[in-house]
Each structure stands twice: as structure tokens, then as C-alpha cells.
Amino acid sequence: MTVTMARIVLASLVEPGNAVLARLVRTSGPAEALRRLLGEPEAPHDLVTLSAAAKARLGDRDPWRLAEDARSAADRLGARLVTPEDPDWPTRADELARMSRGGATGIDVDSQPPVCLWVRGALPVADTVDRSVSVVGARTATPYGLYMATEISFGLAESGWTVVSGGAYGIDAAAHRAAMSAGGRTVAVLACGIDTVYPLAHAGLFEQIADTGLLLTEWPPGATPHRTRFLVRNRLIAALSRGTVVVEAAARSGARSTARRAFQLNRALMACPGPATSPTSEGCHAEIREHHARLVTTPEQVLEEVGRIGEYLAPPVRGRATERDGLDDLAARVLDAVPRGHAISAAEIAVVAGVSPTDARRNLPALVARELVVEDDHGLFQTRRRPSTRPAGRRG
Amino acid sequence: MTVTMARIVLASLVEPGNAVLARLVRTSGPAEALRRLLGEPEAPHDLVTLSAAAKARLGDRDPWRLAEDARSAADRLGARLVTPEDPDWPTRADELARMSRGGATGIDVDSQPPVCLWVRGALPVADTVDRSVSVVGARTATPYGLYMATEISFGLAESGWTVVSGGAYGIDAAAHRAAMSAGGRTVAVLACGIDTVYPLAHAGLFEQIADTGLLLTEWPPGATPHRTRFLVRNRLIAALSRGTVVVEAAARSGARSTARRAFQLNRALMACPGPATSPTSEGCHAEIREHHARLVTTPEQVLEEVGRIGEYLAPPVRGRATERDGLDDLAARVLDAVPRGHAISAAEIAVVAGVSPTDARRNLPALVARELVVEDDHGLFQTRRRPSTRPAGRRG
């Protein structure tokens, strides 16, 4: 049996990410791993257990036939298989094998790299995910969350970055759609067979993604989505991309498992803030508070995290420029002391500004020249414009 | 001239925070400092400059008379003077003298401790600010910001903490009012004389604060508020409290100068997140991104930052508890594989769950006993409740 066929059978009989199988494949290669799995292993115990489960799943079917069936089912859908032996394999996924186990739970037995990938879409896989960011979040997103997912994904796609997400309702769908509407590339990583549309209402969306981007999955044709599969799939979303942005997420949210994986993989982990009163922002705030996710509000800030050092520098947030901007500190203090509505002398201005009369007299002519201050016929000064002298002008 | 009278004159002739005066008072004491300031200093140059400004401000008035007038003006308002010689002096303010100059600008010449404080309200100053948090933010607050300021301040006051703020419109007013409505203590630190109500619409608020909390200012009676004074005052808000929470702040906002001071003073710096689309949250997000302000959404999280270590531990954000919570990982996986709407065998469940048939058979009875799974007369299983088996149950 060829390596490729062995991988298809392994992916059909063992759930993705399985640590026992990954170890076996690493040490023996896929064909030998399959032979041992379907043989009568006596040790180690976890291989015995896995073997029993795999054989139960195979039933009385022939492994070769199983692989052929999976292959032709994929063929009918125009899907292709990509394996680690393929030059188009996204090698970043293999970093899952070396993932740290910070905050490990039992589910981490399912965190190993994929055995193979079924793919729909004409783009090369490795190149498409090379410069990619995952944008993930709540299915029950708010209009605010959908807006943020759209803004961020559109901006990333416009900058030539691929947007990776999970094809779900809410944030995922908004991310995919925004990337495509920017004329960019998007990748949906599924938790079921490439022949299964879940959710069903996303049939059109998935066709559009297959036309312009990629649909990817580790599960063989016929596999249905269920809860554990979504969580297992999330590690791949995190692994394929250079960073993960959680746009909206409840305290308990699958998006947080993707965030966890991004963190364990040492990928950039980012989260959008939202109203503290919004349950769908609780998970984002918790990621920022508890796991040092970087707070991001714009695609530029995301690119600053995932780009090469210095490649992108998001402009720091600045308010509107004002007339005061060009002034040195002394001139600004003098300006602040000039009243509006009534005129006072340079000496009085000095008192209010807390500067020497000489400093006040030296700085006033420049303020007059810039039309910030008006001098009347009696040599008294007042300001021209309202914003410059509001006592609390910088507040709020 | 007594030390107290000298301090009043100094505070009347030199703007608060002045570094030249602070140095002079530290080395010579207030009375000698005043003598030198009003004498004919020949060096250093910055003292010569300050002396000229102070003399211009004094004009032809008698310093003693100036102090007497300030004192009787304060007396008429029921205000008292507190000086560093007083046991009620809030010594935390003196840490301004040792403040780091991270991100220093010219305005930092005005960052020294106050020379004295005018106070309205019956509470002792030092004790009242000992356990205090500053809650500051935009004047042009949104309803969301006002809600957050209210929630946080109410919670802090309820826990026995004093809420310090600046008496301004918006976040400040909401913070003061919430603390008082919780029956707690609040301190308004003003940027003008104790006889001046700014903004005028807060006359009632200030009376209420004076009745139950404290009004404080470094400026002598008669001093009017202006822009520089607000910024100088902000250092005192930061210095008096154990930490500062920025609730809402535009990118350019006076509240950010308070945040800057809190950071430089090594006080807890916190910020509330808000919608990324809200200009009045931009400053908060920038503080979290650029200056490592801690993101806070509840009074408990604020107390965790300012309390003694271990005194307060905010509960981590958790979603609603579900029936799955008590299950170990294996049982949860088995449960997730049990379908809803139709019943399947234990062997089939094992396949979907990716566990051995033995493990599936071992775990199902407990799930049935917990009424999470129903076994029918044919020994087939399905789930009872909807939330447990939704494929993407943890998402969103």
C-alpha cells in the first residue's frame, strides 16, 4: 500500500491529532503504522486501545477499498489530497508536534499534526497560508463583532494576507466574506468531510471560497461535524496561520480554544476589545487579561504583530491635530493662559501661565503671527479660537 | 512668618508642582524659600526667572496680607488648610518628588508634590485617601462609559474604598455620584480655588461631596481653572490613590495624563475596554496596548490590582455551568458522540468519539444515570438535552 493510501486509511480510522498514531507514524512511517494498527499489537497499552477502536471503525471493510472510496468521493467533488510528502504541504502545521503544553488538558492527546488534508480550491496550500492570519470568534456575534471581523479581514486581505477561519456562522463567515470582497484569499478549515456542508446555510459561501480560496479538512469524506471535532480542528486554524485574532468570544467559546493553541504554538495571539457589558466580548477581555493576548482594533495593528519586524508599524492612536501642535511647551503654556472674550496684558498672562513676564512677552508675538492670539490697540491679548483655550481642552 | 503662612504665600505666587520651588523648599524650608524667592536671587538662573514671575504676581501686595486674605477666604467657605507639617497630610502625594520621568515632556517641571492643600469636608484627608482608587475619564462620555464608571465606582465604594476623581463632567461626575450613592467616600481634586465651582453646573455635586467626602485643591482661593492647571492637577489625582482606572478616554484626553502619572508613580494603571469603534475608548485601548494598563471590566478586577496581594482575587470569567462540567475528558468525549434525534449503539458511539468500544461501554451507564443520555429498549443511546450535543456547542 502506498504512503498516500496508508495516510487516507489512517485518517479514516483514527481521529485527527491522535498522539499515539502520530508517534507511530513518526517512528515507522505511515504504511508500517497502518500495518501495526490493524495487526495484533500487544504493547504499548495505548496502541492496543487505539488498535481496537480503529478495527471497530473499519469493521469488515477492506482498508484499500476504504481508501479508494474516500479518494473517489473526493474526486467527484473536485477535491484533492495533500500529504506531508507533497511539496505543497503546509509545513507550519507540523509545528503542532512540538507545541508546548501550557494549560494542558486531556484534549491535548488530539493536538498532533494532521495526517493528510483534503483540499478544494485551485490555490497552492503552502503558499496561500504562508502569510495568513486567523480571524475567529463567536457564532452568535453582535453587529459590532461582525463589523470588526469585516474591517480587520478586509484590511488584511487588501494587504495581501490570507484570512483563515472556520466557516462557521457569525465572525467566521464575516471574516471569509470580507476577505473575498477585498479580492483577497481566504481559507476555511472544516471539522468534517470535504463533502459535508456545515452549516448547511453556508453552501453558497463554501462554493465561493472553493472558487477563490481554499476549503481544507483533515477528515475524510463522509465525516460529520461534532463538538470534539470542532475543538480538534481549532488547533489547525491556529497552526496554519502566523497569528490568531479573536474578534468576539463568550467566556466559554470555541474561539478561545483556537486562542489557546495559538498561544501554545508561540503564534501571535490577538483579541478585539468590546463593551465590558457584552457577553460576547468576555472571552476577548479574558484573553487579554489572563493570557496576554495583544489588544487590536485595526488591521494595521494586526499586521504589526504578524509581519516581519519593522515591516508594518501601526500608527499610534492620535487625536485630531490642533493649532497647538507646533508649539513648544513654553509657548503652549503662554497660549493656554490667554483668555477668550476679554483681553489682558502680557504681565497678567505671565502670572496665569506661571512663567516670567519676559517669557510671556517673548512668546506672544509668535502666537499673534500664527493667528492664535489677537493683540488689540492697547497691547492687550485674547485668543481667537475657542478650542485653544477651553480650560479642559484635553479632557474627553 | 510661620511655616504655614509661608506655604500659603508660596502656593499663591508659584503654580503647583514647580520643580525650582520644590527644590528650594526641600533644602531651605518654606519660610526661607519664600524669603529667597522675594529677595534678589542672582543664581541659579531658573530661580531668578521664578523669582521675577512670583514678584510680578505679588505686585505691590504685602505677602502676609496675601496669606491672611487667602486664609479668611477659605474660612468663609468652611475650608481648612492642610500642610506637610500636619499629621493629616496625605504623604503619598510626596512620592511625586521621586517620580520616574518615563516619557518626560516639558510639563514635567510641574510634577512636584503640592506645597499645601485647601480642603472642604469633615473627613480626615490621609485616612480617606489611604485606600482609594482614581476613576477618571472623558467629559464627553458615552452612556456606556457612564455605566462603567458607575458600576466600578459603586463597587469600590461598597467595598470600603474611596473613589478619587476630578469633579468634571462625564466620567468624573458619574464616579463621584456612584461612590456617594453606595454610601461610600469620594474625593474631588480640583484645578482651581476651593471657592470656585467649575463646572458651574456641579455646584450641587460639590456641596454633596463636601458633605460626605472631600474637596481638595492645591490652588489658593480665587484661582481660576485653565488647561495647564487641569494637567498639573492630574498628577495629584494619580498620586493620592493606589491606582487609576481610565474608564473612557479619547486618544487625546486629560485622563491619559493622569494615567501617565500613575504609571510613572508605579501605581496600578487600569483601563476599561470599549467598542473599538468608539472614539472615547481609543485612549483606553492605547493605554492597554502601549503602556500595559491592565484591562478591567469589574470592581473586583480593580480591587485585585490595588488590594494587598491575595486580599482580593477576582473570579476568572466563566460561562454558564453546564451538565458536562463534572465529566472527565473521556466521558465528555463519549457524551459528545451520542447523537440527538436518533439512537445508535455503543460501538458506533466509540467510532465517532474516537475511543475504544470498551471505553464507550464503560462510560455510557454513568451518562445515563446522570440523565444526560437515554438508553432505549434495544440498548441504543441518544442524548436527552439539546445543549449537550450541538456540534459547535462551545463556539460563540
Side-chain angles (χ1 to χ4, degrees):
Chain A
M1 188 171 271
T2 68
V3 168
T4 299
M5 294 300 262
R7 285 190 180 277
I8 297 176
V9 180
L10 291 172
S12 301
L13 299 182
V14 179
E15 285 292 310
N18 186 283
V20 177
L21 179 62
R23 202 161 49 234
L24 196 59
V25 170
R26 260 200 301 279
T27 52
S28 315
E32 172 64 12
L34 179 61
R35 203 195 55 76
R36 287 195 60 195
L37 189 71
L38 297 183
E40 299 295 338
E42 292 184 354
H45 171 71
D46 49 10
L47 179 58
V48 176
T49 307
L50 184 68
S51 173
K55 281 184 276 193
R57 199 158 181 173
L58 180 63
D60 52 10
R61 290 175 296 177
D62 171 64
W64 178 271
R65 181 62 188 270
L66 187 74
E68 278 295 341
D69 287 351
R71 212 155 194 187
S72 51
D75 278 350
R76 282 194 299 275
L77 288 153
R80 65 190 192 276
L81 189 78
V82 178
T83 69
E85 289 74 26
D86 196 309
D88 196 27
W89 181 253
T91 51
R92 206 183 281 138
D94 296 330
E95 292 174 33
L96 285 163
R98 301 188 297 277
M99 187 165 68
S100 78
R101 293 297 176 82
T105 67
I107 209 76
D108 270 358
V109 297
D110 305 320
S111 69
Q112 289 295 309
V115 167
C116 58
L117 290 172
W118 275 267
V119 181
R120 278 188 68 196
L123 299 176
V125 178
D127 179 66
T128 300
V129 300
D130 178 37
R131 284 162 74 86
S132 70
V133 174
S134 298
V135 178
V136 299
R139 286 179 305 133
T140 55
T142 68
Y144 165 69
L146 298 175
Y147 173 83
M148 292 304 295
T150 301
E151 284 292 298
I152 286 175
S153 302
F154 192 97
L156 292 173
E158 248 190 344
S159 300
W161 283 70
T162 299
V163 172
V164 176
S165 195
Y169 285 129
I171 299 299
D172 289 16
H176 291 306
R177 290 197 172 104
M180 289 189 286
S181 67
R185 304 191 291 186
T186 194
V187 174
V189 183
L190 308 179
C192 55
I194 199 86
D195 57 336
T196 305
V197 174
Y198 183 88
L200 204 55
H202 280 177
L205 174 65
F206 288 0
E207 285 309 308
Q208 199 190 348
I209 294 174
D211 281 349
T212 64
L214 292 172
L215 295 174
L216 292 185
T217 183
E218 309 170 63
W219 280 269
T224 55
H226 62 79
R227 183 194 186 107
T228 303
R229 286 179 173 165
F230 284 102
L231 294 175
V232 170
R233 181 274 316 265
N234 288 349
R235 86 196 190 293
L236 186 57
I237 293 179
L240 288 176
S241 55
R242 292 209 196 167
T244 294
V245 184
V246 185
V247 175
E248 267 196 323
R252 280 179 180 231
S253 164
R256 293 194 69 185
S257 83
T258 314
R260 211 59 304 104
R261 295 312 191 185
F263 180 80
Q264 292 171 332
L265 285 160
N266 214 12
R267 303 269 195 274
L269 173 57
M270 297 156 274
C272 289
T277 47
S278 169
T280 45
S281 285
E282 275 184 16
C284 293
H285 297 153
E287 288 298 329
I288 295 167
R289 277 179 58 77
E290 295 164 22
H291 302 118
H292 304 290
R294 183 97 158 124
L295 182 154
V296 293
T297 58
T298 64
E300 290 74 23
Q301 290 176 351
V302 174
L303 289 176
E304 193 179 309
E305 297 300 306
V306 296
R308 284 184 295 275
I309 291 167
E311 186 182 7
Y312 300 98
L313 283 177
V317 172
R318 295 267 174 268
R320 250 178 322 120
T322 72
E323 310 92 327
R324 303 176 82 260
D325 284 352
L327 302 180
D328 67 25
D329 186 61
L330 191 60
R333 292 189 65 158
V334 171
L335 175 60
D336 289 340
V338 182
R340 172 170 47 92
H342 69 284
I344 62 174
S345 70
E348 287 172 291
I349 290 168
V351 168
V352 174
V355 302
S356 72
T358 312
D359 279 339
R361 274 191 298 268
R362 273 197 196 127
N363 278 279
L364 282 163
L367 297 173
V368 171
R370 292 180 67 162
E371 301 191 346
L372 296 168
V373 168
V374 182
E375 183 175 6
D376 67 17
D377 297 343
H378 308 93
L380 302 179
F381 300 87
Q382 59 180 299
T383 52
R384 284 181 82 92
R385 299 193 191 201
R386 197 163 181 288
S388 306
T389 51
R390 279 164 72 189
R394 260 190 203 169
R395 293 190 65 92
Chain B
M1 187 173 272
T2 68
V3 167
T4 299
M5 293 301 262
R7 286 190 179 275
I8 297 176
V9 179
L10 291 173
S12 302
L13 299 182
V14 179
E15 286 292 310
N18 187 285
V20 177
L21 179 63
R23 202 161 50 234
L24 196 59
V25 170
R26 261 199 302 278
T27 53
S28 316
E32 172 64 11
L34 179 61
R35 202 192 57 73
R36 287 196 59 196
L37 189 71
L38 296 182
E40 298 294 338
E42 291 182 355
H45 171 70
D46 51 8
L47 178 57
V48 176
T49 306
L50 184 68
S51 174
K55 280 184 275 193
R57 201 158 180 172
L58 179 62
D60 52 9
R61 292 176 293 179
D62 172 64
W64 179 270
R65 181 62 187 271
L66 187 75
E68 279 295 341
D69 286 351
R71 213 155 192 186
S72 51
D75 279 349
R76 280 193 300 276
L77 287 152
R80 65 191 193 275
L81 189 78
V82 177
T83 69
E85 290 76 25
D86 196 309
D88 195 27
W89 181 252
T91 51
R92 207 183 280 139
D94 296 330
E95 292 174 33
L96 285 163
R98 301 188 298 276
M99 186 165 68
S100 79
R101 292 298 175 84
T105 67
I107 209 78
D108 268 358
V109 298
D110 304 321
S111 67
Q112 290 295 311
V115 167
C116 58
L117 291 171
W118 275 267
V119 181
R120 278 188 67 196
L123 299 176
V125 179
D127 178 66
T128 301
V129 300
D130 178 38
R131 284 162 74 88
S132 70
V133 174
S134 298
V135 178
V136 299
R139 286 179 305 132
T140 55
T142 67
Y144 165 69
L146 298 175
Y147 173 82
M148 292 304 296
T150 301
E151 284 292 298
I152 287 175
S153 303
F154 193 97
L156 292 173
E158 248 188 346
S159 299
W161 283 70
T162 299
V163 173
V164 176
S165 196
Y169 285 128
I171 299 299
D172 289 15
H176 291 304
R177 290 197 172 105
M180 289 189 287
S181 66
R185 304 191 289 185
T186 193
V187 175
V189 183
L190 309 179
C192 55
I194 200 85
D195 57 336
T196 304
V197 174
Y198 183 87
L200 203 55
H202 280 178
L205 174 64
F206 288 0
E207 285 308 308
Q208 198 189 348
I209 294 174
D211 280 350
T212 63
L214 292 171
L215 296 174
L216 292 185
T217 183
E218 310 171 62
W219 279 270
T224 55
H226 63 79
R227 182 193 188 109
T228 303
R229 285 178 174 165
F230 284 103
L231 294 176
V232 169
R233 179 274 316 263
N234 287 349
R235 84 193 192 298
L236 185 58
I237 292 179
L240 288 176
S241 55
R242 292 208 197 168
T244 294
V245 184
V246 185
V247 175
E248 266 196 323
R252 280 181 180 229
S253 164
R256 293 193 69 186
S257 83
T258 313
R260 213 53 310 98
R261 296 311 192 187
F263 180 80
Q264 293 171 332
L265 285 160
N266 215 13
R267 302 271 197 272
L269 173 58
M270 295 155 276
C272 289
T277 47
S278 168
T280 44
S281 285
E282 276 185 16
C284 293
H285 296 153
E287 289 298 329
I288 295 167
R289 278 178 57 77
E290 297 163 21
H291 302 119
H292 305 290
R294 184 97 158 126
L295 182 153
V296 292
T297 58
T298 63
E300 290 75 22
Q301 290 176 352
V302 173
L303 289 176
E304 192 179 311
E305 298 300 307
V306 296
R308 283 184 296 274
I309 291 167
E311 185 182 9
Y312 300 98
L313 283 177
V317 172
R318 295 267 174 267
R320 250 179 320 123
T322 73
E323 312 91 329
R324 302 177 82 259
D325 284 352
L327 303 179
D328 66 26
D329 187 58
L330 191 60
R333 292 190 64 156
V334 171
L335 175 61
D336 290 338
V338 182
R340 172 170 48 91
H342 68 286
I344 62 175
S345 70
E348 288 172 290
I349 289 167
V351 168
V352 175
V355 303
S356 73
T358 313
D359 278 340
R361 276 190 298 269
R362 273 197 196 127
N363 279 278
L364 281 163
L367 297 173
V368 172
R370 291 179 69 160
E371 301 191 343
L372 296 169
V373 168
V374 182
E375 183 176 5
D376 65 19
D377 296 344
H378 308 93
L380 302 178
F381 300 87
Q382 57 180 301
T383 50
R384 283 182 83 92
R385 298 195 192 201
R386 197 164 182 286
S388 306
T389 51
R390 278 165 71 191
R394 259 190 203 168
R395 294 191 65 91

